[in-house]
Short mmCIF file of all heavy atoms in Angstrom, two decimals:
data_model
loop_
_atom_site.label_atom_id
_atom_site.label_comp_id
_atom_site.label_asym_id
_atom_site.label_seq_id
_atom_site.Cartn_x
_atom_site.Cartn_y
_atom_site.Cartn_z
N PHE V 1435 -112.96 57.30 233.30
CA PHE V 1435 -112.89 56.75 234.60
C PHE V 1435 -113.32 55.32 234.60
O PHE V 1435 -112.62 54.50 235.23
CB PHE V 1435 -113.75 57.59 235.42
CG PHE V 1435 -113.74 57.37 237.06
CD1 PHE V 1435 -112.95 58.12 237.74
CD2 PHE V 1435 -114.37 56.25 237.56
CE1 PHE V 1435 -112.83 58.03 239.04
CE2 PHE V 1435 -114.23 56.10 238.90
CZ PHE V 1435 -113.50 56.86 239.67
N PHE V 1436 -114.50 54.99 233.96
CA PHE V 1436 -114.92 53.70 233.82
C PHE V 1436 -113.96 52.69 233.18
O PHE V 1436 -113.71 51.57 233.61
CB PHE V 1436 -116.35 53.52 233.31
CG PHE V 1436 -116.77 52.17 233.31
CD1 PHE V 1436 -117.16 51.52 234.55
CD2 PHE V 1436 -116.94 51.46 232.13
CE1 PHE V 1436 -117.48 50.11 234.54
CE2 PHE V 1436 -117.27 50.02 232.20
CZ PHE V 1436 -117.54 49.48 233.31
N LEU V 1437 -113.47 53.10 232.00
CA LEU V 1437 -112.66 52.24 231.14
C LEU V 1437 -111.54 51.96 231.78
O LEU V 1437 -111.04 50.70 231.78
CB LEU V 1437 -112.60 52.83 229.78
CG LEU V 1437 -113.72 52.93 228.88
CD1 LEU V 1437 -113.32 53.56 227.45
CD2 LEU V 1437 -114.40 51.63 228.65
N THR V 1438 -110.78 52.84 232.48
CA THR V 1438 -109.63 52.56 233.22
C THR V 1438 -109.88 51.60 234.43
O THR V 1438 -109.01 50.69 234.72
CB THR V 1438 -108.98 53.89 233.80
OG1 THR V 1438 -108.80 54.92 232.78
CG2 THR V 1438 -107.69 53.76 234.59
N SER V 1439 -110.99 51.83 235.05
CA SER V 1439 -111.37 50.99 236.12
C SER V 1439 -111.69 49.45 235.52
O SER V 1439 -111.17 48.56 236.15
CB SER V 1439 -112.61 51.49 236.81
OG SER V 1439 -113.11 50.48 237.82
N LEU V 1440 -112.16 49.46 234.46
CA LEU V 1440 -112.47 48.20 233.77
C LEU V 1440 -111.29 47.42 233.42
O LEU V 1440 -111.11 46.23 233.51
CB LEU V 1440 -113.49 48.40 232.62
CG LEU V 1440 -113.84 47.11 231.73
CD1 LEU V 1440 -114.65 46.17 232.64
CD2 LEU V 1440 -114.52 47.47 230.50
N ALA V 1441 -110.28 48.17 232.87
CA ALA V 1441 -108.97 47.52 232.49
C ALA V 1441 -108.28 46.92 233.79
O ALA V 1441 -107.62 45.88 233.69
CB ALA V 1441 -108.10 48.61 231.89
N ALA V 1442 -108.25 47.81 234.71
CA ALA V 1442 -107.63 47.15 236.09
C ALA V 1442 -108.39 46.00 236.64
O ALA V 1442 -107.73 45.01 237.16
CB ALA V 1442 -107.60 48.36 237.19
N GLU V 1443 -109.68 45.90 236.34
CA GLU V 1443 -110.58 44.82 236.88
C GLU V 1443 -110.41 43.50 236.07
O GLU V 1443 -110.15 42.48 236.70
CB GLU V 1443 -112.00 45.30 236.93
CG GLU V 1443 -112.97 44.15 237.28
CD GLU V 1443 -113.14 44.02 238.81
OE1 GLU V 1443 -112.30 44.54 239.51
OE2 GLU V 1443 -114.12 43.29 239.21
N LEU V 1444 -110.40 43.64 234.81
CA LEU V 1444 -110.53 42.53 234.00
C LEU V 1444 -109.33 42.13 233.06
O LEU V 1444 -109.30 41.13 232.47
CB LEU V 1444 -111.77 42.62 233.17
CG LEU V 1444 -113.12 42.33 233.85
CD1 LEU V 1444 -114.23 42.24 232.74
CD2 LEU V 1444 -113.11 41.10 234.69
N GLY V 1445 -108.47 42.99 233.04
CA GLY V 1445 -107.21 42.80 231.99
C GLY V 1445 -107.65 42.41 230.57
O GLY V 1445 -108.33 43.24 229.97
N ASN V 1446 -107.33 41.23 230.12
CA ASN V 1446 -107.55 40.85 228.72
C ASN V 1446 -109.00 40.61 228.49
O ASN V 1446 -109.42 40.56 227.38
CB ASN V 1446 -106.71 39.68 228.34
CG ASN V 1446 -107.02 38.46 229.14
OD1 ASN V 1446 -106.85 38.38 230.25
ND2 ASN V 1446 -107.62 37.51 228.37
N LYS V 1447 -109.79 40.53 229.51
CA LYS V 1447 -111.31 40.36 229.24
C LYS V 1447 -112.03 41.68 229.14
O LYS V 1447 -113.26 41.72 228.99
CB LYS V 1447 -111.95 39.45 230.49
CG LYS V 1447 -111.37 37.99 230.50
CD LYS V 1447 -112.19 37.28 231.55
CE LYS V 1447 -111.93 35.77 231.51
NZ LYS V 1447 -110.51 35.48 231.56
N ALA V 1448 -111.36 42.73 229.31
CA ALA V 1448 -111.89 44.01 229.15
C ALA V 1448 -112.02 44.45 227.66
O ALA V 1448 -110.92 44.30 226.97
CB ALA V 1448 -111.18 45.18 229.86
N ILE V 1449 -113.14 44.90 227.27
CA ILE V 1449 -113.31 45.41 225.77
C ILE V 1449 -113.84 46.84 225.82
O ILE V 1449 -114.79 47.17 226.64
CB ILE V 1449 -114.34 44.52 225.05
CG1 ILE V 1449 -113.80 43.06 225.13
CG2 ILE V 1449 -114.55 44.86 223.76
CD1 ILE V 1449 -114.74 41.98 224.52
N GLY V 1450 -113.19 47.71 225.08
CA GLY V 1450 -113.63 49.06 225.05
C GLY V 1450 -114.11 49.49 223.79
O GLY V 1450 -113.74 49.03 222.74
N VAL V 1451 -115.25 50.30 223.73
CA VAL V 1451 -115.90 50.77 222.47
C VAL V 1451 -116.03 52.25 222.63
O VAL V 1451 -116.77 52.75 223.67
CB VAL V 1451 -117.11 50.06 222.18
CG1 VAL V 1451 -117.77 50.60 220.96
CG2 VAL V 1451 -116.98 48.55 222.08
N ILE V 1452 -115.49 53.03 221.73
CA ILE V 1452 -115.95 54.53 221.73
C ILE V 1452 -116.81 54.87 220.46
O ILE V 1452 -116.33 54.61 219.33
CB ILE V 1452 -114.56 55.33 221.56
CG1 ILE V 1452 -113.81 55.21 222.90
CG2 ILE V 1452 -114.91 56.80 221.51
CD1 ILE V 1452 -114.44 55.60 224.17
N LEU V 1453 -117.93 55.35 220.76
CA LEU V 1453 -118.81 55.82 219.65
C LEU V 1453 -119.05 57.33 219.52
O LEU V 1453 -118.06 58.00 220.08
CB LEU V 1453 -120.23 55.13 220.14
CG LEU V 1453 -120.34 53.75 220.20
CD1 LEU V 1453 -121.72 53.19 220.60
CD2 LEU V 1453 -120.02 52.99 218.93
N SER V 1454 -119.86 57.82 218.88
CA SER V 1454 -120.09 59.17 218.44
C SER V 1454 -119.81 60.09 219.77
O SER V 1454 -120.41 59.78 220.69
CB SER V 1454 -121.33 59.40 217.83
OG SER V 1454 -121.67 60.87 217.59
N GLY V 1455 -119.43 61.28 219.55
CA GLY V 1455 -119.19 62.21 220.67
C GLY V 1455 -118.22 63.33 220.37
O GLY V 1455 -117.30 63.26 219.43
N THR V 1456 -118.33 64.39 221.05
CA THR V 1456 -117.31 65.52 220.92
C THR V 1456 -116.22 65.44 221.92
O THR V 1456 -116.42 64.78 222.98
CB THR V 1456 -118.05 66.85 221.00
OG1 THR V 1456 -118.72 66.98 222.37
CG2 THR V 1456 -119.10 67.14 219.95
N ALA V 1457 -115.17 66.07 221.75
CA ALA V 1457 -113.93 66.20 222.63
C ALA V 1457 -113.27 64.93 222.64
O ALA V 1457 -113.31 64.17 221.56
CB ALA V 1457 -114.38 66.77 224.07
N SER V 1458 -112.74 64.52 223.83
CA SER V 1458 -111.76 63.32 223.74
C SER V 1458 -111.97 62.32 224.85
O SER V 1458 -111.09 61.62 225.14
CB SER V 1458 -110.38 63.82 223.84
OG SER V 1458 -109.98 64.61 225.02
N ASP V 1459 -113.06 62.45 225.69
CA ASP V 1459 -113.30 61.51 226.70
C ASP V 1459 -113.17 60.14 226.23
O ASP V 1459 -113.79 59.78 225.22
CB ASP V 1459 -114.56 61.84 227.42
CG ASP V 1459 -114.75 61.08 228.78
OD1 ASP V 1459 -113.70 60.46 229.21
OD2 ASP V 1459 -115.78 60.93 229.35
N GLY V 1460 -112.44 59.19 226.92
CA GLY V 1460 -112.48 57.69 226.56
C GLY V 1460 -111.16 57.43 225.82
O GLY V 1460 -110.69 56.28 225.96
N SER V 1461 -110.27 58.36 225.50
CA SER V 1461 -109.03 58.17 224.87
C SER V 1461 -108.07 57.43 225.96
O SER V 1461 -107.34 56.42 225.57
CB SER V 1461 -108.40 59.32 224.27
OG SER V 1461 -109.15 59.95 223.18
N LEU V 1462 -107.97 58.07 227.01
CA LEU V 1462 -107.03 57.41 228.14
C LEU V 1462 -107.63 56.17 228.57
O LEU V 1462 -106.84 55.18 228.84
CB LEU V 1462 -106.92 58.42 229.31
CG LEU V 1462 -106.08 59.64 229.14
CD1 LEU V 1462 -106.06 60.39 230.34
CD2 LEU V 1462 -104.70 59.29 228.65
N GLY V 1463 -108.81 55.84 228.62
CA GLY V 1463 -109.46 54.67 228.99
C GLY V 1463 -109.10 53.60 227.95
O GLY V 1463 -108.71 52.40 228.43
N MET V 1464 -109.07 53.88 226.74
CA MET V 1464 -108.80 52.84 225.71
C MET V 1464 -107.35 52.50 225.82
O MET V 1464 -106.89 51.43 225.57
CB MET V 1464 -109.14 53.51 224.31
CG MET V 1464 -110.68 53.82 224.12
SD MET V 1464 -111.55 52.33 224.46
CE MET V 1464 -111.94 51.77 222.67
N LYS V 1465 -106.50 53.49 226.12
CA LYS V 1465 -104.95 53.12 226.20
C LYS V 1465 -104.83 52.35 227.46
O LYS V 1465 -104.03 51.31 227.41
CB LYS V 1465 -104.24 54.46 226.64
CG LYS V 1465 -104.10 55.29 225.26
CD LYS V 1465 -103.41 56.74 225.63
CE LYS V 1465 -101.92 56.53 226.02
NZ LYS V 1465 -101.08 57.87 226.16
N ALA V 1466 -105.62 52.48 228.45
CA ALA V 1466 -105.48 51.49 229.70
C ALA V 1466 -105.93 50.11 229.36
O ALA V 1466 -105.24 49.13 229.69
CB ALA V 1466 -106.36 52.08 230.83
N ILE V 1467 -106.96 49.91 228.53
CA ILE V 1467 -107.43 48.61 228.03
C ILE V 1467 -106.45 47.92 227.14
O ILE V 1467 -106.10 46.81 227.38
CB ILE V 1467 -108.95 48.75 227.50
CG1 ILE V 1467 -109.97 49.07 228.37
CG2 ILE V 1467 -109.21 47.47 226.69
CD1 ILE V 1467 -111.30 49.27 227.99
N LYS V 1468 -105.95 48.73 226.29
CA LYS V 1468 -104.88 48.08 225.46
C LYS V 1468 -103.69 47.72 226.21
O LYS V 1468 -103.14 46.63 225.82
CB LYS V 1468 -104.56 49.17 224.37
CG LYS V 1468 -103.57 48.70 223.45
CD LYS V 1468 -104.24 47.83 222.33
CE LYS V 1468 -103.06 47.40 221.16
NZ LYS V 1468 -103.06 48.54 220.15
#
């Protein structure tokens, strides 16, 4: 939710980092940032 919002807000100034964790939360957000 946040990373997708960040991508829409900042475009090329958005930077995403995924660290340790289970399951797959964050994957769609990273696609949005890219």
Side-chain angles (χ1 to χ4, degrees):
F1435 193 95
F1436 178 73
L1437 294 180
T1438 303
S1439 172
L1440 181 64
E1443 174 83 347
L1444 284 190
N1446 64 296
K1447 289 182 173 63
I1449 300 173
V1451 180
I1452 295 296
L1453 300 176
S1454 173
T1456 56
S1458 62
D1459 192 11
S1461 294
L1462 286 184
M1464 297 302 259
K1465 289 177 70 174
I1467 288 177
K1468 181 73 173 283

